[in-house]
Amino acid sequence: MAEQSLQYPFSRASDQIDALGRDLDRCKTALGGPDTWPRALRNTVQLILGSQFPMFVLWGEQLLYVYNDAYRPILGPRHPEALGQSFTSVWPELVDSEIMSIIQRAMQGESAFFENMPVTLTHNGYPEQTWFTFSYSPVRDDTGQFAGVICICTETTAQVLAEQARDRAEAELRDSEDHYRHTVELNPHVQWTALPDGQLDRISQRWYDWTGTSGLGQSLHNATHPDDRDRALQAWNTALSTGAPYDIELRIRMIGGAYYWMHSRAYPRRDPSGKIVKWYGTTQSINDLKQALEELAAREREFRTLAEAMPNHAWVANSDGNIFWFNQRVYEYTGVVPGELDGNTWIKVVHPDDHPATLANWQMALNRGTTYQNEYRLREGATGEWRWFISRALPLRDSVGRITRWIGTNTDVHEQKLGSEQLADLNAHLEKEIAYRTADRDRMWRLSTDIMLVARFDSTIMSTNPAWFDLLGWEEHELKGRPFMELIHPDDLDATLAEAGRLAHGIKTLRFENRYRHRDGSYRWLSWTAVPDASFIHALARDITEQKRQAETLQHTEQALRQAQKMEAVGQLTGGIAHDFNNLLAGLVGNLEILQFRLDQGQTDNLTRYIEGAQSAADRAATLTQRLLAFSRQQILAPKPVSVNQLVGSLKDLFQRTVGPGIVMRTELTEDIWPTLCDANQLESAVLNLVINARDAMAGNGLLTIASANVTRESAVAGLPNTVPDGQYVMLSVIDDGSGMPPDVLSRAFDPFFTTKPQGQGTGLGLSMVYGFVTQSGGHVRIDSAPDTGTTVKLYLPRYLGNALPQTAIPAGAEPTPPIASRGRIMVVEDEEDIRHVLTEMLAEWGYSPIAMADTVSALAMLDSDAPLDLLVTDIGLPGGMNGRQLAQHARVRRPDLKVLYLTGFVEDSDARTEALEGRTELVTKPFALDLLARRINAMLAS
């Protein structure tokens, strides 16, 4: 049975296997018959013959070929002669290729896989570029040595060529899209597209160049002139609902703020079912056309007004000679109704004997395009009298010379026709009138105190009046033929060149100022008015040098006045500070001196009240300094996200107790109020100050309303001036119906130490503190008040767009006291020796291990060491070039988890005052209560 299996290894294979055996016998190859093969080769060949994938085996040092039916198409005409032959004889073109190197490595036991490998094969008598995916694996013989290679190969030429074609197509598509995009952007019109629902999804760059906006979303609506918005929206909605083309003229706000006329059109693209899938539109500027039409209409009105005002007949005809307009003088003279003479029917009021000559001359003028002039008789409607008229008409031409209209007049020359003497007198009178007007113009030219100029557009002076010599010392012969640009002050050359360019384009100069050089080398300021004609600039200038000097003097005077007002305000501020601090120091020093006196006398009973008195004075002094810092926007803030609704709700009971039972308190808080980023405790103090002021204004009885709202600067409810930056704000209002404020009091409401309360009942710093805190937080304060109408104070705080949850204020003294963490090592960096001594002594009393440092140099050495440290307590304002914030930042580089507690009373760096505290950081302002400091340190170390 074993011999039979060895002799007929393929007895159960297909006809394909039988054919393979016959081919091997016929070829008489070195491979021999299947019955002589090693078992490893027989098994491998049996494997590939049963596979549907193209596979072959190379056996022995000669790399003899055995392959399956699926591989035959790859061999082409080389089959069946290739069976049992060496690989190099079958594929001589691959002897020096990478394929041969791969086979040799596989014969040494190295497997390999290559996807879409390029191979040049000779298929049809010539080399062809093909691609294959190969998997080469070594095959061992019966002794375990590497004796052959099995390869699974798939030709991927069609796939690779298809992918290359696809890549080329995609590249061509990208190039086409890029070409389209450049075509769109280079188009002088704005091109845009919109979705079927009307939402714009693309608009070319030129729109941004015009308006400074994207054109998407609400920006297009906002850029439209308010008077055109409803009309444009209605037209767009009509187009969307009906599918009709969109076509409208409207005004759009440009970058400079001016509104330009635009013509916007759009057409829908539909799918085969007729459904709209896209809108394609263009917007072009027609501002110049509109201005030209407006100017043309204005000139038309001017012409008609002039024509109606003149005593002569006036008429206008089309280019073909049909008259379509007569002035009222014609109808008054002929007695016909308007419209009855239009076209060619005017001939009926001409004397019959004059018809031939009149019509012939009119037709000749129309054919030649020359001036029409003719004399004929017209019948007066009221009397029936025929009177002689001279009719004259001139053609109006467009820019290319085509006749567009004829303008004509009829002048009554009946008396001239009847008497040549009267005509001669008339001519003489006209000559005198012309001479008089010419002489009048010459007198004005010679006698005017304003300088006059006629120059070419290249600035060459053609004529000047005598005022040039009186004003600038130049004779006319010195200026004629000379460019006026040579006389311009160097700093004014660019502006003058630009204005001359405008004149060259036909734009009038109504007011332009520059400096001209006097003959003595000095410069004088001139204010110019100029108009251009076809060839020259006609200009008139007035000397404004003295006005400029007076304006400069007035500016200096105003600056001096502002400086004096500033010094007066500083004097008032320092006087108020000195007054309040003297009172506080009197209480502080007085209590301490009595305390010292009692101690010197050995009297220790009842000393607490003197200590409490001194402490109270010190606390009031601290409050005063905090209000001064708030007013000057120099206080240290700890900004965090705050919900004003939560803050007002948590303090409502406190506010009610503060105002008393006679005042009804109401809240009107907008739902979904935006959060704002500010110091919650300072906001609490600000609102409490406003509540106290409202209570005092209502004398214990009235209605107090606290309201909140989301507003933007542009919204009417906000009532913010244009000087406030654009953006979204949270508005918190405190409204009372008290006595209100007259204008003089309202204008000084934010002045420090200004108060209308009786002596001893107010410091005058409450509203100053509110103003300083809100301004330092990036907001704005507004007061609306009038006598007997109450007062409304509105705080505008910028909207916070972060993700942190809003926080409410923690009332002073209400912080929870965490358990004492009395095993911590605390570094204290404070340059004031007394404060440093108090801090280290109290920290030791509380059970901590304090390390005192007087400067940043010694502190840095400690921070850079490996000594353990739980908390850094540092003053922000430290001498020596490094402040407390910089010291903490340096420490965090080496000790990223180090907790930091800042102590400060004032920071000069404005950025540090408004910077939000980073994580694991707290701040305590000086002066501070030691129990507050203990709670803060305990909380930080226990967290």
Side-chain angles (χ1 to χ4, degrees), residues 578-871:
H579 174 270
D580 282 10
F581 264 102
N582 283 335
N583 289 339
L584 295 170
L585 289 174
L588 179 63
V589 173
N591 279 288
L592 291 177
E593 286 181 352
I594 295 175
L595 179 63
Q596 182 65 48
F597 176 76
R598 292 293 180 89
L599 290 174
D600 291 343
Q601 297 295 323
Q603 299 177 14
T604 58
D605 297 334
N606 201 23
L607 297 181
T608 304
R609 65 191 184 105
Y610 302 114
I611 297 175
E612 291 175 348
Q615 183 65 48
S616 175
D619 290 342
R620 285 186 285 123
T623 301
L624 178 60
T625 58
Q626 288 301 315
R627 290 188 172 185
L628 287 171
L629 288 174
F631 163 70
S632 62
R633 288 169 280 173
Q634 306 291 314
Q635 65 180 334
I636 304 300
L637 299 179
K640 294 182 180 179
V642 174
S643 169
V644 297
N645 286 1
Q646 293 179 12
L647 183 141
V648 172
S650 65
L651 299 174
K652 187 174 181 181
D653 291 341
L654 173 62
F655 294 158
Q656 186 63 69
R657 290 194 302 271
T658 301
V659 299
I663 293 178
V664 177
M665 194 176 77
R666 182 178 64 189
T667 57
E668 297 177 356
L669 306 178
T670 297
E671 295 183 3
D672 300 325
I673 195 71
W674 294 331
T676 183
L677 188 69
C678 68
D679 190 316
N681 292 310
Q682 291 295 331
L683 179 58
E684 173 192 334
S685 298
V687 178
L688 185 58
N689 264 311
L690 297 178
V691 169
I692 292 172
N693 285 348
R695 176 199 65 189
D696 296 343
M698 292 187 289
N701 290 283
L703 174 64
L704 172 65
T705 303
I706 300 179
S708 67
N710 298 326
V711 298
T712 60
R713 186 184 68 76
E714 298 83 1
S715 60
V717 68
L720 286 169
N722 292 333
T723 55
V724 176
D726 291 341
Q728 298 174 322
Y729 293 86
V730 177
M731 182 177 71
L732 184 61
S733 305
V734 178
I735 309 165
D736 67 65
D737 58 0
S739 58
M741 289 182 278
D744 59 329
V745 174
L746 183 61
S747 66
R748 301 186 59 192
F750 292 127
D751 290 356
F753 298 105
F754 175 75
T755 179
T756 59
K757 297 178 182 179
Q759 184 71 26
Q761 295 187 17
T763 63
L765 285 175
L767 285 177
S768 301
M769 181 274 290
V770 172
Y771 176 82
F773 157 68
V774 175
T775 306
Q776 189 176 351
S777 299
H780 182 73
V781 184
R782 174 174 175 172
I783 301 179
D784 295 316
S785 184
D788 302 323
T789 61
T791 299
T792 298
V793 182
K794 296 180 180 179
L795 310 184
Y796 301 88
L797 296 169
R799 179 185 181 182
Y800 173 64
L801 298 175
N803 296 323
L805 294 176
Q807 303 292 321
T808 56
I810 299 177
E815 296 182 12
T817 302
I820 297 294
S822 58
R823 292 295 182 268
R825 286 172 57 85
I826 302 175
M827 177 187 288
V828 178
V829 185
E830 173 60 62
D831 58 314
E832 287 290 338
E833 183 177 358
D834 291 342
I835 300 177
R836 188 170 66 250
H837 174 72
V838 169
L839 287 174
T840 54
E841 184 172 337
M842 291 308 298
L843 287 173
E845 285 288 334
W846 294 334
Y848 298 108
S849 299
I851 305 169
M853 298 292 177
D855 53 56
T856 56
V857 176
S858 56
L860 287 172
M862 176 67 179
L863 290 169
D864 290 338
S865 70
D866 295 329
L869 191 62
D870 299 300
L871 177 65

Side-chain angles (χ1 to χ4, degrees), residues 428-458:
H429 174 72
L430 289 175
E431 290 176 1
K432 289 180 180 179
E433 182 70 18
I434 293 173
Y436 173 77
R437 294 194 177 187
T438 302
D440 188 54
R441 181 263 182 192
D442 291 341
R443 282 194 299 273
M444 181 181 295
W445 180 266
R446 292 193 310 271
L447 300 178
S448 174
T449 57
D450 296 331
I451 65 175
M452 298 182 181
L453 168 72
V454 178
R456 291 204 300 258
F457 291 111
D458 63 358

Side-chain angles (χ1 to χ4, degrees), residues 48-316:
I48 69 172
L49 290 178
S51 175
Q52 299 298 318
F53 288 96
M55 299 176 68
F56 66 85
V57 176
L58 301 178
W59 190 260
E61 294 180 355
Q62 294 180 321
L63 301 176
L64 300 178
Y65 234 137
V66 180
Y67 47 85
N68 62 3
D69 284 349
Y71 187 74
R72 289 182 180 182
I74 297 176
L75 287 169
R78 291 178 172 84
H79 173 76
E81 283 75 12
L83 188 65
Q85 303 302 316
S86 66
F87 181 81
T88 56
S89 65
V90 175
W91 301 106
E93 63 266 36
L94 300 180
V95 171
D96 296 324
S97 69
E98 177 65 17
I99 297 292
M100 199 66 199
S101 175
I102 295 170
I103 293 173
Q104 291 171 353
R105 292 198 300 271
M107 289 292 291
Q108 296 174 4
E110 180 180 335
S111 298
F113 175 80
F114 298 92
E115 185 175 10
N116 296 332
M117 182 176 183
V119 181
T120 303
L121 297 179
T122 303
H123 259 223
N124 300 304
Y126 56 88
E128 295 182 47
Q129 181 65 56
T130 62
W131 285 265
F132 286 84
T133 294
F134 295 108
S135 175
Y136 287 92
S137 300
V139 178
R140 298 177 185 268
D141 61 13
D142 296 345
T143 65
Q145 300 297 316
F146 296 112
V149 176
I150 183 171
C151 177
I152 304 172
C153 61
T154 302
E155 183 172 4
T156 60
T157 302
Q159 174 185 344
V160 171
L161 292 176
E163 290 177 353
Q164 291 178 348
R166 182 195 63 198
D167 293 341
R168 288 194 298 272
E170 290 177 351
E172 291 173 357
L173 177 60
R174 288 193 298 271
D175 183 69
S176 176
E177 290 176 348
D178 187 63
H179 173 74
Y180 169 74
R181 183 171 58 256
H182 280 76
T183 302
V184 168
E185 297 302 341
L186 291 174
N187 196 304
H189 302 166
V190 170
Q191 299 192 18
W192 51 271
T193 61
L195 301 176
D197 62 0
Q199 183 68 34
L200 269 67
D201 61 350
R202 187 185 182 281
I203 190 165
S204 60
Q205 175 67 22
R206 189 170 298 277
W207 179 268
Y208 181 83
D209 297 338
W210 282 354
T211 69
T213 66
S214 67
L216 302 178
Q218 196 68 15
S219 63
L220 175 60
H221 180 75
N222 293 338
T224 304
H225 194 285
D227 295 344
D228 299 338
R229 289 175 183 170
D230 292 342
R231 181 170 56 86
L233 186 60
Q234 182 179 0
W236 184 231
N237 288 334
T238 300
L240 294 177
S241 60
T242 63
Y246 172 71
D247 194 321
I248 192 172
E249 294 180 358
L250 72 169
R251 288 162 289 181
I252 297 296
R253 185 177 65 249
M254 310 302 281
I255 280 183
Y259 283 93
Y260 275 28
W261 277 100
M262 301 287 175
H263 185 195
S264 192
R265 290 170 291 183
Y267 295 87
R269 178 168 65 86
R270 303 176 185 269
D271 62 13
S273 67
K275 180 181 178 181
I276 294 176
V277 296
K278 198 81 168 179
W279 284 88
Y280 295 86
T282 64
T283 298
Q284 67 179 107
S285 174
I286 57 170
N287 200 62
D288 293 342
L289 175 62
K290 278 286 187 180
Q291 290 181 348
L293 292 176
E294 290 175 1
E295 292 178 2
L296 180 61
R299 292 177 181 176
E300 183 80 14
R301 290 191 298 270
E302 292 175 359
F303 165 75
R304 296 204 175 195
T305 301
L306 176 63
E308 293 293 355
M310 63 189 300
N312 295 352
H313 300 175
W315 48 272
V316 181

